[in-house]
Amino acid sequence: MLAGTVRPVTNRSAELFTRAKQVIPGGVNSPVRAFSSVGGEPLFIREASGAILTDADGRDYVDYVGSWGPMILGHAHPAVVQAVQEAAARGTSYGAPTEGEVELAELIAELVPSMEVSRLVSSGTEATMAAIRLARGVTQRDLVVKCIGGYHGGADYLLVRAGSGAATLGAPDSAGVPSAIAETTRLVPYNDLEAVSALFRDQGDKIAAVIVEPVAGNMGCVPPNERWLAGLRTLTSDAGALLVFDEVMTGFRVALGGAQERYGVQPDLTCLGKIVGGGLPVGAYGGRREIMDHVAPVGPVYQAGTLSGNPLAVAAGLTTLRILREPGTYDRLEAIAAQVEDAAREALSGASFPWTVQRVGAMLTVFFHSGSESGSVRERSGSTDSRSVRGWDDADRCDRDRFARWHQSLLAHGVYWPPSQFEAAFVSLAHDGSALARTAEAMRAAM
Ligand code: KE4
């Protein structure tokens, strides 16, 4: 049913939220879902298909959260649903190796050649935790470098000046992280190669790894400037530190081979999540054999997981990646995402307030801020934007209240945009003409 259709005034989401807050912290199982930075209360979702979510009251929305990235094929893709159903009928978990895990590791190595050897885990957080432990084990060094506004999941030493939900809540440093742990983390601004270079001059022999989102998505979508990734590659190689690409969000999203394919820079380790599980819990980390042979049971770096390589999750991930590697897929995805960007730019073109739209492939953010003079190149058109959001300092100057009002208006007009200025919106292959038309109309109405 189209958004805004007159229906009995029920508010099942509100009723469920009231109940949820009695038994779940903040009523949600992940903070950013709480809508706390955009006002109002979260919608409880009953079902989804293609690009459309249906809430507990039966209202439909064009979905740009996409489960925060995994649903690149669209929701309830028939082939994925069938694969999961067939896997479930054979048992849901064995705690023993399966053929599917071998096939998925082989496919990951084919699509992301730097991941010659990989280990499956159950979330992006586990993948980044394991990658950092591995880098520390391989280098026998302790320090980890991350970007201000970078988000890599919930590991203590990575929840320092974090983005995503931490930034959304205005709590980039989590309580409960011992100072001794936080002190092993060094912070640099995203896209600031001089800052990283100075850090390496000063402490390079103590740095185990640099972990970076090759396209930042957790301060909003911030592309790497032209020197950033190659510069990090050189600095880490020269210092004997490992370069870790956190491609949990960018993997299979900005290109079939992820950001490392798009920008032509190979890391030592890559972390995957989201799309690799097709909407079920899968993460992965991997790299060259000489590094991965340090992982137990081959080497001394321990990492384990009861549900790692779960057969249902592997079935969903395998099916998803096999569909994504079909010829022409990313051309279609680029065309769809470009239409979403164009709709936003057209709707905002007459705005009296500063704004900028930044997109890389099928992830984008509308920033309610003019950005900074940077001369950066806009990913899609190749034209030079006189202003852009280059890192956290720029993103942090966004008008959060204006974003909140814009988000609320989109929601009222049937478009479900990520409920945070510091998140990326995700486009799927299922965002068809009807969804795009509804999106353009809602964006015009939001002005
Ligand atoms: P998970 O543990 O949530 O599967 O992955 C953590 C993670 C690691 N690295 C990157 C680049 C990520 O974006 C994430 C998780 N992304 C957020 C949204 N930006 C997940 C949404 C949430 O926290 O509810």
Side-chain angles (χ1 to χ4, degrees):
M1 179 175 291
L2 283 180
T5 307
V6 176
R7 63 178 71 255
V9 180
T10 61
N11 202 336
R12 188 109 176 82
S13 283
E15 293 164 13
L16 288 168
F17 193 43
T18 300
R19 282 173 49 196
K21 286 185 286 189
Q22 301 307 310
V23 289
I24 303 170
V28 292
N29 282 314
S30 200
V32 74
R33 301 177 189 173
F35 273 46
S36 52
S37 73
V38 292
E41 297 189 339
L43 297 178
F44 279 63
I45 304 304
R46 184 178 73 199
E47 61 187 315
S49 177
I52 305 302
L53 290 177
T54 302
D55 72 12
D57 292 286
R59 297 185 187 90
D60 296 345
Y61 304 83
V62 181
D63 179 23
Y64 287 97
V65 174
S67 181
W68 302 99
M71 309 319 295
I72 196 166
L73 299 183
H75 292 284
H77 187 288
V80 175
V81 171
Q82 183 179 347
V84 173
Q85 286 173 332
E86 290 173 357
R90 298 193 295 271
T92 55
S93 181
Y94 317 120
T98 63
E99 182 177 359
E101 291 164 85
V102 180
E103 291 178 317
L104 184 50
E106 288 171 340
L107 186 51
I108 289 170
E110 176 193 333
L111 301 182
V112 190
S114 70
M115 296 179 78
E116 179 185 7
V117 176
S118 64
R119 164 68 60 83
L120 295 182
V121 292
S122 298
S123 69
T125 292
E126 283 184 85
T128 59
M129 282 175 69
I132 295 302
R133 182 182 309 137
L134 176 56
R136 286 170 161 163
V138 168
T139 62
Q140 300 291 299
R141 299 173 181 180
D142 292 343
L143 298 188
V144 171
V145 182
K146 73 174 285 289
C147 294
I148 298 166
Y151 181 75
H152 307 287
D156 281 355
Y157 41 81
L158 295 174
L159 278 179
V160 181
R161 295 299 300 276
S164 184
T168 301
L169 299 178
D173 303 308
S174 175
V177 177
S179 55
I181 298 287
E183 283 160 13
T184 62
T185 305
R186 292 292 182 271
L187 296 165
V188 291
Y190 194 82
N191 274 326
D192 187 341
L193 208 51
E194 285 62 41
V196 183
S197 187
L199 184 62
F200 271 90
R201 279 197 300 275
D202 182 35
Q203 306 178 56
D205 60 343
K206 301 184 182 67
I207 295 173
V210 172
I211 184 167
V212 66
E213 294 175 64
V215 175
N218 289 289
M219 52 182 105
C221 180
V222 177
N225 67 36
E226 55 193 355
R227 298 170 51 232
W228 180 235
L229 299 178
L232 290 177
R233 178 66 281 177
T234 302
L235 284 168
T236 48
S237 298
D238 290 352
L242 298 194
L243 179 59
V244 181
F245 273 9
D246 179 349
E247 296 227 41
V248 167
M249 186 184 289
T250 55
F252 315 110
R253 175 151 295 276
V254 301
L256 182 56
Q260 54 197 273
E261 174 188 292
R262 190 179 185 105
Y263 296 103
V265 175
Q266 276 211 345
D268 298 301
L269 287 173
T270 299
C271 304
L272 299 175
K274 298 180 191 284
I275 292 171
V276 75
L280 270 66
V282 178
Y285 64 100
R288 302 187 297 280
R289 177 178 308 286
E290 69 185 84
I291 294 175
M292 293 301 289
D293 277 353
H294 286 72
V295 178
V298 183
V301 178
Y302 193 73
Q303 178 271 315
T306 300
L307 295 174
S308 296
N310 173 272
L312 277 65
V314 164
L318 266 176
T319 306
T320 298
L321 297 189
R322 285 167 175 163
I323 291 170
L324 287 175
R325 74 170 174 184
E326 288 169 6
T329 297
Y330 285 82
D331 292 338
R332 284 179 24 235
L333 196 57
E334 172 62 23
I336 296 169
Q339 290 181 71
V340 178
E341 175 183 358
D342 291 345
R345 289 181 178 281
E346 181 189 329
L348 289 158
S349 58
S352 60
F353 49 81
W355 57 273
T356 187
V357 179
Q358 294 183 173
R359 176 175 71 84
V360 178
M363 59 189 275
L364 73 155
T365 296
V366 176
F367 290 99
F368 286 85
H369 170 56
S370 60
S372 302
E373 294 294 346
S374 70
S376 78
V377 175
R378 185 167 68 189
E379 273 292 317
R380 179 169 70 87
S381 65
S383 68
T384 299
D385 270 351
S386 63
R387 308 179 73 79
S388 66
V389 174
R390 300 162 302 169
W392 175 250
D393 283 352
D394 290 338
D396 192 26
R397 288 201 292 269
C398 282
D399 184 337
R400 292 159 170 81
D401 291 339
R402 187 176 296 281
F403 175 85
R405 293 195 299 275
W406 183 73
H407 183 276
Q408 289 164 7
S409 176
L410 289 186
L411 201 61
H413 289 86
V415 170
Y416 189 83
W417 198 261
S420 164
Q421 172 68 93
F422 308 118
E423 293 287 357
F426 299 107
V427 181
S428 84
L429 288 160
H431 281 75
D432 59 13
S434 164
L436 295 172
R438 285 172 63 181
T439 303
E441 182 186 338
M443 287 183 168
R444 285 192 294 271
M447 295 312 302

